[in-house]
Amino acid sequence: MGDYVISYRIILTGVGSYLPKNKFSNDSLAKFVDTSDEWISKRSGIRYRHFVSDNETTSEMSYNAAKKAIKNAKISKNNIDLIIVATTTPDNTFPSTATLVQKKLCINAVSFDIQAVCAGFVFALSVAKSMMSDGYYKNCLIIGADSMSKLLDWKDRSTSVLFGDGAGAIILQRVENINDVYKDWGILSSVIHSDGQFYDLLKTNGGVSTNQKTGFIEMVGKEVFKHAVDKLSTSLEEALLSSNKKIEDVDWLVPHQANQRIITAVADRLNFDINKVISTVKYHGNTSAASIPLALDKAISSKTIINGNLIGVHAIGGGLSWGASIIRIGKPKIL
Ligand code: ACO
């Protein structure tokens, strides 16, 4: 008798997000940064951002987003066996923020953080897909969460106006693809890349082993812009090829929410209808690893993205690190 090979699919069944209560408009930022609503809106499309309050941490935001995603997926938290938090701004240098989320949820699960800055969420997707596809982990909670306000130098107006704080979470579930029921569902492809030769384009000017500080964000904006447009486009094309899909098959693009000008330029380059691109950057600025699940949650809760839609997600961040994934949302109606 031949070996019975089980084929698994990793499907996305829940999403949730959280934004801190403290909301700052461009005008309110202009009270302590030498900037204006006109400059920020024109160059980035950003109008508002949320900042954590004094005692609010990345793990607290993560926990709030996680609870919503678990509820949305209609699963028991006790079934979660893997927690991955993508973050650049952990509560403590160690242990991982994921273990704090695990503690707050009161569950048993392998828990760790991933650090790929704004690309953290797509990196987490790729790692989770691999770990679940080998047949061991069944229910994964991925969280993208960042308190970017803690890394902002208010004297640097070219970076401090672009970022905000927030968290987004998703639930991935491993299902057996019996009779090919799930053939075209879930994560169809996932690609990730890094190139350390661009390390200095976007970084903090401090770190644990450099000067025992966390540092502030420094960015060569124009260069990052060019790389973002190029690498977001090529990685999405690569993910499409790997999933045997064409750009015309995609119902919605959910890009990293860094800057409306980047989002528009990428849609142009991919020849993709901008009306089918989810953009929430206006409401929360660049929330780093949180930005894609935040945008996804807004689009799903407003029923813009519905069960069965094919979506493309893509992100780029410091490193440089970047990647993309093609996902069919939810599960077949008959199940
Ligand atoms: N308010 C007012 N004026 C400003 C501000 C500000 N907040 N910041 C810069 N300026 C001024 C500059 O001093 C400069 O003035 P000058 O001409 O008198 O010297 C002028 O505006 C133009 O500055 P530039 O840096 O040339 O502006 P640019 O058109 O490149 O826009 C921006 C800057 C928005 C940062 C752009 O380069 C960009 O979008 N880069 C991508 C960066 C990004 O999104 N990074 C996010 C992290 S990476 C990621 O997530 C993809």
Side-chain angles (χ1 to χ4, degrees):
M1 216 164 85
D3 286 339
Y4 173 59
V5 180
I6 304 172
S7 140
Y8 294 119
R9 303 246 26 123
I10 311 306
I11 59 171
L12 193 161
T13 57
V15 61
S17 65
Y18 174 82
L19 286 168
K21 288 199 178 56
N22 292 337
K23 187 175 174 183
F24 286 74
S25 66
N26 291 342
D27 283 334
S28 52
L29 210 64
K31 288 181 185 146
F32 57 98
V33 179
D34 180 16
T35 188
S36 65
D37 174 46
E38 196 202 347
W39 194 95
I40 303 171
S41 306
K42 199 169 151 210
R43 307 275 172 142
S44 71
I46 298 164
R47 298 251 169 188
Y48 304 95
R49 74 284 294 142
H50 296 245
F51 293 142
V52 285
S53 50
D54 285 348
N55 298 319
E56 200 172 22
T57 57
T58 298
S59 72
E60 202 56 38
M61 292 196 293
S62 300
Y63 175 59
N64 286 322
K67 281 189 293 185
K68 291 183 187 165
I70 293 166
K71 191 170 175 211
N72 185 239
K74 299 189 180 73
I75 62 164
S76 161
K77 64 176 184 174
N78 297 313
N79 290 335
I80 292 169
D81 47 13
L82 182 62
I83 302 175
I84 305 177
V85 175
T87 188
T88 304
T89 49
D91 290 28
N92 291 81
T93 302
F94 80 88
S96 68
T97 300
T99 52
L100 266 180
V101 174
Q102 179 195 6
K103 181 182 170 193
K104 287 178 207 262
L105 284 169
C106 297
I107 59 173
N108 291 316
V110 168
S111 308
F112 62 92
D113 290 358
I114 279 187
Q115 214 286 59
V117 209
C118 299
F121 182 75
V122 289
F123 271 59
L125 273 180
S126 178
V127 170
K129 180 174 181 275
S130 299
M131 291 180 73
M132 297 173 84
S133 299
D134 76 6
Y136 195 76
Y137 298 97
K138 288 183 180 160
N139 297 289
C140 174
L141 166 65
I142 292 183
I143 301 164
D146 269 308
S147 307
M148 296 306 277
S149 60
K150 307 282 180 172
L151 298 176
L152 296 178
D153 174 1
W154 299 113
K155 294 190 286 303
D156 178 4
R157 63 182 182 168
S158 67
T159 54
S160 58
V161 300
L162 300 175
F163 293 89
D165 303 335
I170 61 164
I171 297 292
L172 295 178
Q173 293 187 263
R174 191 195 77 189
V175 288
E176 284 183 32
N177 186 26
I178 298 165
N179 296 331
D180 263 356
V181 181
Y182 288 102
K183 187 170 170 258
D184 201 34
W185 289 83
I187 304 179
L188 304 184
S189 66
S190 174
V191 299
I192 50 174
H193 295 280
S194 319
D195 192 341
Q197 71 168 306
F198 303 118
Y199 190 93
D200 289 331
L201 292 186
L202 180 54
K203 61 176 174 47
T204 57
N205 57 12
V208 179
S209 74
T210 313
N211 58 4
Q212 299 84 53
K213 294 187 172 133
T214 44
F216 293 121
I217 295 174
E218 289 181 341
M219 176 174 71
V220 186
K222 280 194 197 328
E223 284 301 307
V224 171
F225 191 101
K226 279 189 254 169
H227 281 289
V229 175
D230 182 50
K231 292 174 171 49
L232 288 170
S233 307
T234 53
S235 58
L236 201 272
E237 284 167 343
E238 194 187 344
L240 283 168
L241 197 65
S242 160
S243 59
N244 217 6
K245 298 286 179 197
K246 297 195 176 69
I247 190 78
E248 303 81 64
D249 299 325
V250 173
D251 295 303
W252 296 98
L253 273 187
V254 188
H256 168 45
Q257 307 289 315
N259 185 318
Q260 187 57 47
R261 282 164 64 220
I262 295 175
I263 292 173
T264 305
V266 171
D268 276 356
R269 183 147 152 199
L270 291 168
N271 208 7
F272 191 77
D273 181 357
I274 191 71
N275 296 310
K276 298 201 299 178
V277 181
I278 303 296
S279 176
T280 55
V281 67
K282 175 177 173 182
Y283 306 108
H284 51 64
N286 184 346
T287 55
S288 192
S291 92
I292 290 177
L294 260 172
L296 189 60
D297 185 35
K298 193 158 172 46
I300 289 178
S301 53
S302 65
K303 297 194 168 45
T304 306
I305 292 179
I306 56 170
N307 193 67
N309 276 171
L310 190 73
I311 69 162
V313 300
H314 51 171
I316 182 166
L320 294 175
S321 306
W322 66 101
S325 187
I326 303 295
I327 308 167
R328 189 171 303 283
I329 295 286
K331 52 185 159 192
K333 277 261 157 52
I334 45 157
L335 296 168

